Structure formats: C-alpha cells, structure tokens
Amino acid sequence: MGIVKKLMSLFGSKQEYSVYGEQGGIATTITLPKNFDTTKDKCPMAILMHGFMSSKGMYPVPMLAKTLAQKGIASISFDFNAHGKSEGRFVDMTIANEIADARAVLEYVKGLEYVTDIGFVGHSQGGVIAGMLAGELEDSPLKPKCVALLAPAAVLKDDAIAGQCMGSKYDASNPPEYVNVMFHKLGRKFILAAQKLPIYEISCKYTGNVCIIHGRKDKIVPTAYAERYHAGYRNSTLHMLEDEGHFLRKNKEQIAAVVADFMANNLK
C-alpha cells in the first residue's frame, strides 16, 4: 500500500470511484472544454492512458487534457490498477488487466449522454494498451473513432523475452515471483504473459486513423517499434521527432497540438 493510501486509511478517508476494474476502483479525472454544460452541450472525448509506473497526474496527460479542451474536446484520464490513486497491487498488474481497465473506462464514457465520438491516446505502455484495445474492438460498436500513440512501448515484449526491465535483469526462462524495478515489484505473471503478447497482431486489426509520435533519441523504445506499428496499420501517420526522447519533454506544446489537431480532425 502506497503512502497516500496508508494516510487515507489512517484518517478514515475513502477514495470514491465511478469505474471499477479487475483490481478494484479506478481513479478518473474528466476535463471539459471551457463553459461546457454537460446537461445541454455535446462534445467528443479522448481517453488518455499513461505509461508504466506513471499516473494521470503526470506529463504528458495533463497537458494533453488541457490542449484538447481548448479544441472543444473533453477527455478522461485515469490511473491504471496499482498506479496513482487506483486500487490494486503492482505485482498483480498485467497488460491484460490494464486493457480491462481501459475497457471499463470506455464503457463508462459510452454511458455519458454528452459524449459523441471517442478517441484513444496512449503514451508508452499506455500506447500499447490503447493500440491493443482498439484492435480488439475493430468489429465492436465500442470501436474508437481514432487512436494516437505516443512512444508506444511494444519493446516490453522483447524485454520480457530478454529478461530485462528498466535496468533490472532476471532469468527470462524462469522468472522469480517478482522483479524489483525502480522500487516496484514487477510480477512473474506480467513477464510470462508479455513474452507471448501479440501486440502488433492485435493492434493492427484496427482500421481507423492512427497518429504515431516517436522521438529519434528514445533510449527506452527504439524507433523501429514505431516504424513497425506504422507499417502494420492501414491508415496511420508517423511523426518522427528529431530531438525527442521517450518522455517527449522538449517540445511539449507542439506535441500536444499535434495530438489535439489529429483528434479534432477525426472526432465530431
């Protein structure tokens, strides 16, 4: 249990949730365009998905939400299970239950009467989730109108096969119960499932418009992974940014504008 959750428990405060996933409550934040009235106005909404060991309160999510709102697009950001203010244990986190989290948020958004079209935006591991969920939904009424992937971390499969994660090493053929990764316990279940994860096979079933943004100086996810996404999709645009690394921090406003313009052009 994190420090925030311990303090909440100690003082009797309880987080309230509107969405629940396989590990419990999912913390969400909705950002609306200025002067938007949910009782009479309508607008599209983007579902924003953060990366590995990140949260909805960390860049690039808040900036994306702000920029989208300026374009008249609402957004919902959320903490994946065991991240931020959502419930669950990190050791139990998997790609499958993160996809389930995102699906639960999507189903919640579909129930909001003021929402028209829906798009997905995901950064890093959140990009993997956004891409795979969109692919799973290709033939579903829940299919998103468009998808934006920022430095999508499909490398996580090859890292699991190689027995490494963010500098931590382990026996890939027989992973331990968990691996310590930057003060987090990455579970054996995550590793074994990631080794067989059909990331591109599922993601590239999606036939809608896709915007891929990747930094040429990304030392966590090499550019080849973004190029493979681009080659697999039917309708994608790849933006390779010369001076950007994995966290896309050098040209924040420009990147947020590219995503917001893409969403504005595809959502009604």
Side-chain angles (χ1 to χ4, degrees):
M1 183 182 292
I3 293 176
V4 173
K5 292 180 181 178
K6 284 182 179 179
L7 289 173
M8 288 168 63
S9 175
L10 181 64
F11 291 103
S13 176
K14 183 174 177 59
Q15 173 81 32
E16 293 185 2
Y17 301 101
S18 298
V19 184
Y20 288 84
E22 293 179 1
Q23 286 217 66
I26 299 173
T28 58
T29 298
I30 291 178
T31 303
L32 299 170
K34 187 177 181 179
N35 299 323
F36 186 86
D37 187 339
T38 59
T39 64
K40 62 181 181 181
D41 298 330
K42 292 186 180 296
C43 70
M45 178 172 278
I47 300 178
L48 310 181
M49 309 183 199
H50 67 77
F52 183 68
M53 295 192 298
S54 186
S55 74
K56 62 184 175 66
M58 296 177 65
Y59 177 82
V61 175
M63 175 163 280
L64 290 170
K66 177 182 177 181
T67 308
L68 287 164
Q70 292 170 348
K71 286 282 187 178
I73 301 170
S75 64
I76 183 168
S77 54
F78 67 98
D79 292 328
F80 283 109
N81 66 86
H83 291 75
K85 296 181 180 179
S86 289
E87 296 182 323
R89 301 192 312 160
F90 197 88
V91 72
D92 296 323
M93 180 272 299
T94 64
I95 295 299
N97 60 36
E98 286 205 342
I99 291 175
D101 288 347
R103 184 186 287 264
V105 172
L106 172 61
E107 291 173 349
Y108 170 74
V109 169
K110 277 290 187 179
L112 299 175
E113 293 185 0
Y114 61 86
V115 174
T116 54
D117 285 342
I118 298 171
F120 292 172
V121 183
H123 173 247
S124 194
Q125 185 163 296
V128 172
I129 305 303
M132 291 187 71
L133 180 56
E136 288 181 0
L137 296 172
E138 170 61 25
D139 298 318
S140 166
L142 293 174
K143 176 183 175 181
K145 193 74 173 180
C146 59
V147 177
L149 306 179
L150 283 63
V155 69
L156 67 86
K157 177 177 181 176
D158 290 336
D159 281 350
I161 292 171
Q164 61 183 22
C165 181
M166 308 291 283
S168 297
K169 307 285 186 179
Y170 55 88
D171 181 357
S173 64
N174 184 28
E177 180 183 349
Y178 63 84
V179 177
N180 285 307
V181 180
M182 298 178 69
F183 307 105
H184 290 70
K185 294 179 178 179
L186 185 67
R188 174 184 171 88
K189 188 176 180 181
F190 177 100
I191 294 166
L192 293 177
Q195 291 174 352
K196 300 178 180 180
L197 202 61
I199 297 175
Y200 297 109
E201 293 85 346
I202 292 177
S203 299
C204 293
K205 290 180 180 180
Y206 180 72
T207 57
N209 289 335
V210 180
C211 173
I212 307 166
I213 299 175
H214 209 99
R216 289 197 183 277
K217 293 184 178 180
D218 192 328
K219 295 181 180 179
I220 296 175
V221 183
T223 56
Y225 291 90
E227 291 165 350
R228 184 171 174 185
Y229 269 112
H230 182 48
Y233 281 122
R234 299 184 194 181
N235 300 293
S236 63
T237 302
L238 175 59
H239 300 267
M240 280 292 186
L241 307 182
E242 294 298 330
D243 297 325
E244 291 290 348
H246 184 66
F247 298 102
L248 305 170
R249 293 182 178 277
K250 288 203 170 183
N251 299 283
K252 295 179 179 180
E253 293 183 358
Q254 174 191 345
I255 292 167
V258 169
V259 174
D261 288 342
F262 171 74
M263 289 283 149
N265 290 334
N266 285 278
L267 302 177
K268 63 181 180 181

